[in-house]
Structure formats: C-alpha cells, structure tokens
Amino acid sequence: MTKSNSINVGSASKQNLPIKNIVIVGADVIGWSAAVALARGLGGQNVNITILDTKSDHAAPNKSLHASEHIFDFHRLLGIQDKNLLMHGHMKLNLGAKFHAFNRENQAAGDFVLGCDRAMPSFCSIELHQVLAWLGLNDPEKYSISCAAINSNLLAIPTKQTGTMSASFSPSVNLDGDAYLQFMQGAAKHLAIKIVQADIKDLEQDPENGFVTQITLSSGQILDVDLLLDNSQLNPALQVLSCQRDYINCGEYLPFDSVLSGFEPTQTAASPFQQFYGVEGGWIEITTHSNLRNITLHYSSQLFQDEAAKQVILSHIPNVQGVSLTRKIARYLTKPLDKNCLTIGQAAGYLGTSPISSLVLMQRTLSKLLELFPSKLCLPQNTAELNKRILKDYQEALHYTALMIPFSEQVQENAEMQRYSWHLSIDQLPPELKHKVELFQSSGRIGSELNPLISRDAWLNLLKHKVKNRHAYEPVLHALDKHKAAQFIEQLGLQIEQSISRYRPYS
Amino acid sequence: MMQSANIENIVIVGGGTAGWMVAAAMANRLPKRLCNITLIESDAIGTVGVGESTIPHIRQFNQTLGIDEATFLKETHATVKLGIQFNDWGAIGESYFHPFGEHGQITQGIDFHQYWLKARALGENHPIEDYSIAATAALARKFPLSTQDKQTKFADYTYSYHIDATAYARFLRQYSQTRGVSRVEGKVASVKQHNNQFIQSVTLESGEEIAGDLFIDCTGFRALLIEKVLDVPFIDWSHWLPTDTAVAVQCDLDRTNTTKPYTQATARASGWQWQIPLQHRIGNGHVFTSAYTKQQDAMDVLMNSLPGKAIAEPKVLRFKAGRRQESWQKNCVAIGLSSGFLEPLESTSIYLIQQGISKLLELFPDKQCNQTVINEYNQCLGQSYELIRNFIILHYHATKRHDSDFWLYCQNMSIPEELERLISLFSESGRADLGQFGVWPAVCIGQNIMPKYYDTRLDNMTEATLKQFMAGHRRNIQDMVASFPNATDYINEQLAKGLV
Ligand SMILES: Cc1cc2nc3c(=O)[nH]c(=O)nc-3n(C[C@H](O)[C@H](O)[C@H](O)COP(=O)(O)OP(=O)(O)OC[C@H]3O[C@@H](n4cnc5c(N)ncnc54)[C@H](O)[C@@H]3O)c2cc1C
C-alpha cells in the first residue's frame, strides 16, 4: 500500500523524502555540465545544487574535448542552441578520423578513413556495403560522403535535402575546452547553481547506512548533502571521498596506461577530422582547431619508456608545447551509484579519450539518473537498475574502442604480420565483441543492438574497415540485376563527387 | 571472398498460421529469381485451429505485405482489439485492463503512473485505466476513428485484431500462391539427410520426394523436422507455467450488441478462460492444468459460461510450456509451435512467429548455413521467448488467490531470477526495466504489486495541483473517447470501404 513514503530501517523509521541538497565535488567541465544538466532536469523541483572545489574552475587552456554525436541530445536537454556554439567557434564539427599505420598490411596505401555516415543508401533494400562486396568494390570510402569529404579535407554539413541517394551523416564535435567550460558556467549562473571554494575537512556519514550527510569545510562551513556527485579525482584536496571502490579492469584490452599530451599553436584552418597514428607502444591522436593543434599519445608503460614516448610526440610535432604526462588505467566502476554518492567523470570510468569521451559518458549517466531519480533513501533496487544501465554504456564503449584501436585481423592469420604487441586477435576480444566480429565476417551482418550509445550504423562503419576478411555477402543479391547494381553504384559515386564539389574547407 | 552457393529451394513443411505467414513473407521479400518456395500441408492432419488474438505488431506484418485493413478485416472476419481485460487474477472479484499503450504521458521527466501512485497515496481511488485511452475506449466499446497509432497529449494508444485463424491461413495461402509459392498437399512420411545431417528432402506418403536447401519446420506441436529428425531438445518451462490443456469451442454472437474491442481473460480455479469476439462468432477456451482439474470439469466450466450457443464441437488441445533449445539447426528453422509454446494469455504466439520470420529474413543464409549466423538467430529468438515467458509468469505468480491448490502453487513457486528482480524493482519504487514486453505498470498494479514508494520528486507538487492535473487528464480522455464511434460501427465502415 502506498500509504505514505516511509520505511522502517532497523529501529528508526526513515522517511522517504525528496532529495533537496545536491553537492557536486569537482569544478571542471564535467562538474559544471553535470550541475547544469541537473538544474535543468530537475526544473520545478525544490533543490539546491552546489559545486564544491578548492578553485572555481579547472580551466584547461589549449585543450580540445572530443564528443560523439550524443552531445546534441544533451544540449537539447539543456536548452542549448548548438548554432551559438558553432557560430562562436567553440564547437567544431568533426566528420571522423583518419587512421595511419594501424596495420602492417596497409602500411603503404591502406590507411583508412572512418566516416560518420548514417542511414546509408541501399539498393533494392540491400545494404550498400553488401552490394559493394558483391560487386567486388573494395573501396567503401569512395561511396561514403563523410569519408570523401575527409579525404579532400572539406567540411560537409548535413542537410535535409531529399531526393539524393548519398547518405546522411552525423558528425561528432571538437569543443574548445575553456570556452565550453565558460559557457557552462554562464548557464549555471542563470540556474542559481552555487559554487563553494574550500577544502573538505570532514565528512559526516550516517552510522546506519554510511550515506554522506554533511560535508565540513576547512572554513568551518557545513554543507548538507542528500546526493553527492563525486567528480573529485580532479583534486587531491577532496579525495577523502574515494573510499574503496570496485572497478572492472580493462587493461587486458586497452593496455595504454599513460597519456602524454601537448599542443602547438597553428595558423592553419581547422580540419574536420581527427588523425590517429599507430606506433610501437600505443597510438597517437591529433586534433586540429583553427589556431591550435592538440596531440595525445596513449601508450603502455610496459612498451614505452616515458622518454621514448616524448620522442615520438616530437617526431610528429617538433614544436610541441606544454607536454604533460598522466597515468590512467582503462577501467570502469561496478557501482557508479553507491549509497548516496554517484561517481562521475574519469573516476567513474576511463576508456581512452576517443571516441566516446568522458563528457558524453557523464551526460548519458545523468540522463539515466534523471530517469531513475532517487529519493533520499536511494532505494537499493532502483540503484541497482541505474547502475545496470550505466554499466551497459561503459561496456559498449569498451567494445567499440577495443574494435577501433587494438583489434587487428592480421594477428590470428599470421603472427609475422602482427605489427604491434598491443594488437588483439579475434580470440582475445571480449566474447560479445568477438561474436559481433564473427557475424560480420561470416556474412556482413550486424547483430541487433540494444544500446543506443553506438548506433547500428556506427558499428557498421567501423566493422567494414576493421573486418576485411569477409566470407560472404547478402545471398539475396544473386537474384538481382548486377548491371543495374553497378549503375546504381556509379551514380552514387557521381553524386558524392558532385556534393563534395559544393563543400568548403573549414575556415 | 568465399561466397557459397545460394539457397535455390525453400521447403516449408506445415500450412497452419506459421507456415503460411512464412510463405507469404518470403514470397513478398525474396526476389523471385532467387529461389522456389514450396509449402507442404496435410489436410488429413489439419491445423490447431486456434490462435485468434493478436498484438499490434501484426499490423506491421500486414503493412510490409501490402495488405490493407479493409481487405484484412473482410478476409479474416476480424474485429479490433485495444487490449486484454483480466478478471479475477489478482483476487476473485477484481478486474484490470492491460491496454495497448501506456497510461498518461511522461510529464516533467516522470512516468505517469508515479503521479497515479501519489494521487492514490493521497486517497484518490480512480483506477489507473481511467488514464488510458485504449482502456477507456475499450471498456466503453468504442474505437478511435483514426487508424494511425496516436500520440496524444494525454496518452498513447495502438491496436490489433481478433482474427479467424483458419480464414487467416486461407487468406495468406491465396496471397502466397498468387506470388509464386507452390502448395503441395500430402503428409510427410520420411526425411532424407545428407552426410552432414543437413536435410536433403522429404518424402510424402504418395512417394513424391521434395528436395530443398532450406527447410522451415512449421508442423506445429509435431515438430517433425526439428525434433523427430534433428533431435533438438525442448527446454521445459512447465514448472513455471503449469497449464497443459485447453478446451476450445466457438459460440454464437449476439449481433445486436456492440462488439467488445478487447480480449477477455478470466481466471478459473486452475487456469483461465478466454473470450475472443469475431465478426460472426465468439471464440472461447479454457486453459487449465490437468494435474489440478479433470478434463470434464474444465469442459463444464467452459460450456456453462459461454456467452452464446455453442456452434461447434469443443476441441481438446494439449501442450507444454517451453522452447526449442535451438530453433535453427543445420538447414532447418522451426517457426511457430514447433519452436516453442507460451500459453496464449498475452496473445503472443503469432508475434513470436513474426519475430522468427523477420530475423530469418534479416539473416537469410546461403546453402552452408553459417553457424555464427545460426547462433545469432537462436540467441535473439531465445531472448524474445524469455521476455514473454517472464511476463506471463508474472500474471500467475502475483496473485492473492488461495481458493485452489493451483493458485497456491503459483504463488509459492520459485520464479526466474530475472523476473524476481523485475518484480522487486517495481514493488520498491514503481520502476520498470527498459526493453520489456508489455505494459508492466498495468499488469503489476492490476495484480496488486503496489510500489512501496512513488517518485519523491512529486512531493514538490501540491496536493491541489496534482489532483487538478489528474482530473484534467481523466476529463480529456473521457471527452476524446466520447467522440469515438462504437467498435462495430468502425468495423462496418471499414468493410463498406472495402466494397467500393
Ligand atoms: C489453446 C491455444 C490457444 C492459442 N491462442 C492464441 C492466441 O490467442 N494468439 C496467438 O497469437 N496464438 C495463439 N495460439 C498459438 C497459435 O495457435 C499458433 O501459434 C499458430 O496457430 C501457429 O501454429 P502452427 O502453424 O505452428 O501449427 P499448426 O496450426 O498446428 O500447423 C501445423 C501444420 O503442419 C502440418 N503438418 C504436420 N505434420 C505434417 C506432416 N507429417 N506432413 C505434412 N504436413 C504436416 C499440418 O497439416 C498443419 O498444416 C494458441 C495456441 C493454443 C494451443
């Protein structure tokens, strides 16, 4: 009976009351965006949202943030106009990535381009990649508008144009880290989000259930807490919070425990894609903004000395500045929400910076939190359901990254072809991912997806580049007119060329 | 690329609902030049002849096949269905409605049933049905004019049909035959296999041998190929779903009354009874558990509660709940009753046939039938079966009935872990898992699984505002439903359209 919202816990009776005081620890871009998302998502609720840190922000000058297309959904929730961000140059569209030297086989020619096509055209309702395989056309990039744009270093902008065969596509973005932070801070101001600058002196915990109830600051001030968002890996002064936490370690798949990053001011135009280079100890990611180029080397400390890593960076960008090293283990928390504390940001999980950024994972975590918003009691079943949904994202992100970076088809076929010791063979992949690859190998099929973090098209895009060794194509094709199919493909190629001629470089 | 040879001949064994749905979908989707499709059916054996209540997905099936509603209503003597009314399930004397479509709308990011729970805690006692367009319309025997699924400001709704199973198979047979499917009448007497156990051909009693590359086993409970030939085991779920027999009979319909646009499922001492109105008759059946009730007693219960005069001899059907461990093995795919059986409580069998068909077409094989593709198919189908299984068990388990050993057994039986989790999630905070089958809040609340807590965010809403909000909702839905025609008029109007 839903008589009243009260429960008996032990001897004391606890009321199941709404959450009133939310404290977010850690004022970087993740913390501020989380605050804005909560304030928006809880509009009309009687909540106080406070950000706590020793400083009011963690500006990260000369750093760009990559975020997948989900950022647009998040902005919609927040009522943010993407146009504004784009106009001011705080956000740049990104059509995909160019991969260099990831496979030995492809050393000379075959670097590949990963586009962002969605809803690819089909021939007699058979998917394009199947038709290409049938016709023996091994150059899928030619028939992908985003790949074609990347190859000509042009920015393609999605239009709602109808009547064209060429596919639609869904760009990700590169954000100017500082500008985005300021933008969120601006939004926070209008939403009455408080910022408190202080060290944490002490935490008060409920002796019965271990919930954090109060935070005492070095200034003596006391903050009441109903729900705590812990983004504190950022600041050692706040780390009293990170008690014992269980992580799922992903080092087996992503052994890159060191991140060396730097930047170079440039005069060149922004490029609408990222560049990835495979190297001995790991891989390099380069993002070019209008006035800035960011470089990051993700490597395994087992495979590279830090000094050697620095040399690798220098060999790519001789004038690199502000080089800094961090150590991060690829892993994610088993219980993101534990008691009344939700961990967000990199302490919740880290799976490399691209393609699924911490920003996007945090955003999706918050949407799920709002769907299953807890009460003061943080009821256990609700918490378990929330954690289950969040973990699904991390697992999916791990699979996608493992396929994108370390997976190499060559490894199993011929050990000599193996280029890097961090390459993974199909048998070394997590079982669900292995099945996905095998299914694609067997017939070019993609399994049914349940998690919208990575769309079916995004999987298809990646699989068709990483899995070349296909055994078969769609058998129904045999009944179709090969000549017509070839004409269709030729038309498509022409249309894409025409579209490309309308695109401009990023300026 | 090592493309293996194409499937050139598909042989469907069985011409019940499953067989003809497969044939029709394949004739529609596969290019004619690709392969020949042959369907074998035995008039001597016949079909199960039941399976008349459906869920909204059937409309998608019709749409893909290009079958318009007027033709469909006419050919299958169908009526419309907005959900299922469950009588005496949670307790004797109680009734609830499982509608097609959620109650209310998510408002301010909070599920509507949370508002209802809070209103209830404040002493309001309007049933949750009052906030469902489908339920409100159904119980008033009304039907929305627009046949599109509607997303209104107040609630979503959608609908399906009650169909004459025999007429449906006949209709699809005609559809398939005009699109090139060959029909062979005869009884399969023996089966030949290749060395690798792939099925090579089936031989009819007449001696005719029919060879194929891909065999679809639609032989119903007989499971001629998948079980008798390939020996694929059956996973028995009867400890969770113990009903094992049905007596079914058709009766007259009082044509002066408006058709009920819903299926009725009334719980009985050791099972339940269905009522499915068609244009020209009503289908009735009593599903029971032979360990708890004698067949004659079950028959008496049925015959004594018919809403009209019986117009046929009652039929007895026996079954066991469970599914085939692998619906697809070698070059044989079992679709329909041969691949598993979940009792008809939520009218899901035809839907599972559809699932089997669309997965098979999506993963259409070559002659080799790659094992990874087979695994993918079996995994997907297995998941669908389990989702629905858990949902049906919920109806039996969540009851306060203690009038018979059967209900006591159901209450006390251990249930699948996943279902346990889903029930505790709902009973704690009214939350439902994503991707579940059916409208969970309707069934949980209907069966008295009342969440201990509502969403506390609603405590920031004043009592007056909430009550006003709820009253507004009810009023809007009532006004809307008042403008709908009655269900029979709707059907007649469609039929008249078909004649033009
Ligand atoms: C009591 C009951 C109620 C039901 N209610 C519903 C419902 O409301 N909604 C719903 O969706 N589903 C319902 N179902 C399920 C539904 O009836 C079936 O899913 C549907 O009819 C499909 O059956 P089928 O085609 O697999 O088998 P069948 O109808 O049994 O067809 C089998 C076919 O195989 C042929 N055959 C068998 N052996 C041979 C042989 N040796 N040689 C040649 N041919 C052979 C037969 O002649 C027949 O054509 C119900 C089932 C039962 C038992």
Side-chain angles (χ1 to χ4, degrees):
Chain A
M1 296 284 282
T2 318
K3 272 281 152 46
S4 71
N5 261 0
S6 69
I7 189 178
N8 288 314
V9 179
S11 51
S13 165
K14 295 215 170 167
Q15 277 272 304
N16 194 30
L17 297 170
I19 281 174
K20 195 161 183 267
N21 298 302
I22 303 176
V23 177
I24 301 169
V25 180
D28 65 346
V29 69
I30 298 263
W32 280 103
S33 327
V36 173
L38 279 181
R40 283 275 181 189
L42 296 171
Q45 294 288 315
N46 182 18
V47 286
N48 306 316
I49 299 176
T50 308
I51 300 186
L52 170 64
D53 203 331
T54 48
K55 42 186 179 176
S56 68
D57 66 37
H58 289 254
N62 302 316
K63 251 209 157 103
S64 70
L65 298 167
H66 179 256
S68 58
E69 75 252 34
H70 301 282
I71 191 121
F72 298 112
D73 297 336
F74 183 66
H75 287 170
R76 210 167 302 128
L77 168 74
L78 267 52
I80 290 177
Q81 299 278 326
D82 294 313
K83 243 193 286 172
N84 289 347
L85 282 170
L86 285 167
M87 240 159 46
H88 293 106
H90 301 331
M91 182 163 89
K92 292 277 186 194
L93 296 179
N94 185 68
L95 299 174
K98 254 187 176 173
F99 285 75
H100 307 271
F102 266 65
N103 296 320
R104 165 157 300 196
E105 166 216 27
N106 287 339
Q107 208 163 6
D111 302 330
F112 70 91
V113 176
L114 181 65
C116 58
D117 294 67
R118 302 288 180 265
M120 297 285 281
S122 60
F123 175 69
C124 296
S125 64
I126 310 278
E127 288 187 304
L128 182 67
H129 72 105
Q130 298 277 17
V131 181
L132 294 176
W134 179 40
L135 297 175
L137 297 169
N138 295 321
D139 184 13
E141 285 163 26
K142 213 171 136 193
Y143 306 99
S144 145
I145 196 146
S146 54
C147 289
I150 289 172
N151 278 327
S152 341
N153 200 9
L154 297 173
L155 176 70
I157 294 178
T159 54
K160 293 215 173 68
Q161 222 172 337
T162 47
T164 47
M165 291 199 298
S166 41
S168 64
F169 51 95
S170 174
S172 54
V173 300
N174 295 318
L175 297 160
D176 173 336
D178 267 356
Y180 197 62
L181 175 66
Q182 279 166 24
F183 185 84
M184 285 298 170
Q185 286 175 321
K189 234 179 240 152
H190 296 290
L191 294 163
I193 292 164
K194 269 196 301 216
I195 168 90
V196 173
Q197 277 174 255
D199 275 340
I200 294 179
K201 201 166 106 201
D202 201 12
L203 290 184
E204 182 84 26
Q205 281 170 296
D206 185 317
E208 245 168 63
N209 58 16
F211 282 29
V212 176
T213 51
Q214 284 184 334
I215 298 178
T216 310
L217 304 175
S218 48
S219 62
Q221 191 189 348
I222 290 176
L223 297 177
D224 285 329
V225 180
D226 299 325
L227 179 67
L228 189 68
L229 265 63
D230 179 8
N231 181 35
S232 70
Q233 88 291 341
L234 207 61
N235 191 333
L238 306 170
Q239 290 210 334
V240 261
L241 283 174
S242 41
C243 36
Q244 283 184 341
R245 287 190 177 133
D246 272 341
Y247 284 94
I248 294 172
N249 194 313
C250 309
E252 186 185 338
Y253 308 115
L254 304 172
F256 318 107
D257 58 358
S258 306
V259 180
L260 194 61
S261 54
F263 66 92
E264 177 197 33
T266 61
Q267 296 310 313
T268 52
S271 71
F273 56 89
Q274 294 179 295
Q275 309 226 47
F276 293 158
Y277 295 84
V279 295
E280 215 51 55
W283 55 287
I284 283 176
E285 175 186 349
I286 294 179
T287 309
T288 309
H289 276 276
S290 1
N291 49 7
L292 180 74
R293 182 173 294 145
N294 281 109
I295 181 164
T296 310
L297 169 62
H298 303 258
Y299 64 96
S300 153
S301 57
Q302 304 280 314
L303 302 173
F304 255 167
Q305 300 290 322
D306 295 338
E307 199 42 48
K310 218 171 238 165
Q311 292 308 316
V312 170
I313 289 231
L314 283 169
S315 73
H316 274 83
I317 301 185
N319 297 324
V320 68
Q321 301 178 18
V323 175
S324 69
L325 173 69
T326 36
R327 305 258 188 236
K328 296 174 179 177
I329 301 167
R331 59 179 192 173
Y332 54 90
L333 267 182
T334 50
K335 286 188 197 157
L337 177 60
D338 191 9
K339 308 199 170 74
N340 66 336
C341 174
L342 177 72
T343 306
I344 55 170
Q346 298 206 343
Y350 170 75
L351 298 166
T353 53
S354 268
I356 317 298
S357 68
S358 312
L359 192 59
V360 165
L361 287 165
M362 177 279 291
Q363 293 165 359
R364 288 181 50 94
T365 295
L366 283 200
S367 309
K368 293 171 207 291
L369 176 71
L370 288 167
E371 270 166 32
L372 295 171
F373 199 70
S375 59
K376 264 193 187 181
L377 290 178
C378 288
L379 300 166
Q381 298 293 337
N382 192 62
T383 298
E385 176 67 16
L386 175 62
N387 285 335
K388 186 177 143 229
R389 292 186 195 177
I390 296 172
L391 251 56
K392 250 190 171 159
D393 265 6
Y394 279 95
Q395 194 191 41
E396 188 87 344
L398 168 68
H399 290 176
Y400 187 76
T401 312
L403 180 63
M404 179 160 145
I405 306 292
F407 172 66
S408 169
E409 253 185 335
Q410 312 304 327
V411 178
Q412 189 192 26
E413 303 276 312
N414 181 351
E416 277 172 26
M417 295 291 272
Q418 182 170 342
R419 182 159 198 172
Y420 306 117
S421 53
W422 48 264
H423 268 159
L424 294 179
S425 73
I426 184 161
D427 291 325
Q428 292 168 312
L429 297 178
E432 293 93 339
L433 179 58
K434 181 180 171 195
H435 173 72
K436 211 169 231 131
V437 172
E438 281 177 342
L439 186 63
F440 194 78
Q441 277 179 337
S442 72
S443 54
R445 260 65 176 257
I446 314 245
S448 14
E449 295 320 321
L450 291 168
N451 188 338
L453 175 66
I454 316 280
S455 67
R456 189 181 182 284
D457 285 318
W459 276 113
L460 172 61
N461 252 339
L462 185 58
L463 281 162
K464 86 190 169 200
H465 288 297
K466 295 289 284 201
V467 181
K468 293 282 188 194
N469 185 12
R470 274 170 64 176
H471 301 311
Y473 47 80
E474 173 64 55
V476 170
L477 280 163
H478 274 285
L480 303 180
D481 187 332
K482 209 166 187 166
H483 183 67
K484 276 207 184 117
Q487 271 180 341
F488 167 82
I489 296 295
E490 200 186 313
Q491 276 296 316
L492 179 65
L494 283 176
Q495 278 206 10
I496 286 177
E497 269 174 38
Q498 268 170 21
S499 309
I500 291 291
S501 68
R502 290 197 302 271
Y503 296 139
R504 298 277 164 270
Y506 229 134
S507 55
Chain B
M1 211 166 289
M2 300 169 283
Q3 189 80 6
S4 101
N6 273 316
I7 304 271
E8 285 159 76
N9 291 296
I10 300 176
V11 179
I12 302 166
V13 184
T17 305
W20 285 115
M21 281 179 81
V22 173
M26 285 188 164
N28 173 256
R29 272 280 297 279
L30 298 176
K32 276 215 183 64
R33 278 174 42 190
L34 185 72
C35 51
N36 304 312
I37 304 170
T38 308
L39 185 145
I40 305 168
E41 64 179 328
S42 157
D43 293 343
I45 295 176
T47 67
V48 293
V50 283
E52 314 212 305
S53 190
T54 65
I55 60 174
H57 301 77
I58 194 170
R59 290 171 46 225
Q60 245 167 317
F61 188 76
N62 285 350
Q63 215 166 38
T64 317
L65 265 58
I67 298 168
D68 68 274
E69 178 160 79
T71 313
F72 181 78
L73 288 173
K74 178 166 152 277
E75 295 290 337
T76 66
H77 318 305
T79 59
V80 286
K81 169 180 173 187
L82 289 163
I84 305 176
Q85 182 186 47
F86 288 92
N87 303 313
D88 300 336
W89 281 83
I92 291 178
E94 288 184 357
S95 174
Y96 72 92
F97 200 89
H98 178 199
F100 293 139
E102 311 274 333
H103 307 99
Q105 284 289 22
I106 296 178
T107 306
Q108 305 231 318
I110 302 172
D111 287 332
F112 182 83
H113 65 269
Q114 298 285 354
Y115 292 81
W116 182 83
L117 289 169
K118 162 106 195 198
R120 186 172 175 274
L122 293 173
E124 283 214 352
N125 55 7
H126 294 278
I128 195 160
E129 279 80 1
D130 286 3
Y131 305 93
S132 155
I133 295 179
T136 307
L139 295 170
R141 304 194 190 185
K142 298 266 198 172
F143 191 79
L145 251 188
S146 151
T147 57
Q148 301 301 310
D149 291 342
K150 265 281 164 59
Q151 283 205 346
T152 70
K153 249 169 76 184
F154 319 112
D156 304 343
Y157 64 85
T158 170
Y159 71 99
S160 71
Y161 307 107
H162 298 127
I163 58 170
D164 176 335
T166 313
Y168 185 49
R170 200 186 313 123
F171 173 60
L172 290 178
R173 168 176 152 187
Q174 196 193 7
Y175 176 100
S176 308
Q177 285 183 300
T178 45
R179 283 166 183 76
V181 174
S182 337
R183 168 180 182 265
V184 177
E185 203 288 318
K187 189 168 164 189
V188 173
S190 64
V191 177
K192 278 192 193 147
Q193 286 170 279
H194 294 287
N195 287 339
N196 61 2
Q197 294 191 316
F198 274 49
I199 296 174
Q200 179 179 347
S201 65
V202 294
T203 308
L204 306 184
E205 273 179 343
S206 64
E208 185 184 352
E209 185 176 331
I210 298 170
D213 308 313
L214 180 67
F215 286 81
I216 315 295
D217 184 347
C218 297
T219 57
F221 289 129
R222 285 183 171 75
L224 189 72
L225 305 178
I226 197 83
E227 182 178 292
K228 308 266 156 48
V229 176
L230 292 171
D231 223 6
V232 179
F234 185 81
I235 306 173
D236 186 342
W237 288 335
S238 58
H239 51 298
W240 287 318
L241 294 169
T243 60
D244 59 2
T245 317
V247 282
V249 70
Q250 301 168 354
C251 76
D252 246 343
L253 156 99
D254 176 359
R255 282 164 206 252
T256 56
N257 261 341
T258 298
T259 307
K260 290 178 184 162
Y262 54 93
T263 301
Q264 273 167 281
T266 305
R268 301 290 185 209
S270 69
W272 62 282
Q273 186 176 335
W274 79 72
Q275 229 185 76
I276 302 173
L278 300 182
Q279 287 169 29
H280 59 306
R281 61 166 169 81
I282 296 178
N284 303 275
H286 182 185
V287 175
F288 64 97
T289 315
S290 58
Y292 292 97
T293 298
K294 287 203 205 77
Q295 188 169 310
Q296 190 53 50
D297 295 343
M299 186 83 81
D300 292 344
V301 168
L302 176 70
M303 300 310 275
N304 293 332
S305 57
L306 291 182
K309 205 170 92 275
I311 53 172
E313 278 302 301
K315 249 176 139 171
V316 180
L317 300 140
R318 287 183 205 290
F319 47 78
K320 189 195 271 182
R323 80 171 170 93
R324 201 61 57 193
Q325 192 173 295
E326 289 139 12
S327 297
W328 184 347
Q329 201 185 73
K330 315 282 179 201
N331 62 339
C332 172
V333 188
I335 296 181
L337 297 173
S338 56
S339 82
F341 184 73
L342 287 170
E343 62 144 287
L345 188 57
E346 282 283 351
S347 335
T348 44
S349 246
I350 291 175
Y351 164 72
L352 283 165
I353 295 172
Q354 255 179 277
Q355 292 279 93
I357 293 172
S358 60
K359 262 288 150 223
L360 176 58
L361 286 171
E362 184 191 321
L363 297 170
F364 197 74
D366 50 30
K367 271 188 187 164
Q368 241 177 11
C369 291
N370 181 291
Q371 191 57 43
T372 311
V373 169
I374 294 179
N375 293 346
E376 171 75 10
Y377 179 92
N378 288 332
Q379 197 197 327
C380 290
L381 266 278
Q383 272 170 4
S384 297
Y385 268 97
E386 281 179 23
L387 276 185
I388 293 173
R389 176 200 69 190
N390 289 347
F391 188 52
I392 297 178
I393 298 173
L394 169 70
H395 297 65
Y396 282 102
H397 184 64
T399 179
K400 293 200 171 69
R401 283 185 70 137
H402 37 67
D403 53 301
S404 70
D405 289 346
F406 171 77
W407 288 107
L408 289 174
Y409 171 82
C410 293
Q411 268 168 59
N412 295 317
M413 69 186 171
S414 70
I415 54 173
E417 232 173 84
E418 173 66 359
L419 177 58
E420 194 103 55
R421 184 183 77 80
L422 293 168
I423 293 178
S424 35
L425 178 63
F426 193 85
S427 58
E428 177 200 78
S429 43
R431 256 76 197 243
D433 189 60
L434 299 173
Q436 288 299 317
F437 179 87
V439 182
W440 273 69
V443 175
C444 285
I445 290 172
Q447 305 239 164
N448 301 314
I449 302 180
M450 283 300 167
K452 219 177 198 154
Y453 306 108
Y454 54 79
D455 192 318
T456 50
R457 279 178 285 183
L458 296 176
D459 282 344
N460 290 311
M461 198 173 189
T462 64
E463 185 167 340
T465 317
L466 177 70
K467 286 190 167 162
Q468 205 179 355
F469 170 75
M470 299 300 277
H473 246 285
R474 285 194 305 275
R475 203 173 336 101
N476 281 317
I477 287 178
Q478 276 161 15
D479 288 352
M480 206 151 128
V481 166
S483 72
F484 294 166
N486 79 46
T488 310
D489 290 348
Y490 172 81
I491 294 162
N492 288 337
E493 212 170 283
Q494 292 300 309
L495 290 174
K497 255 194 228 162
L499 293 177
V500 182

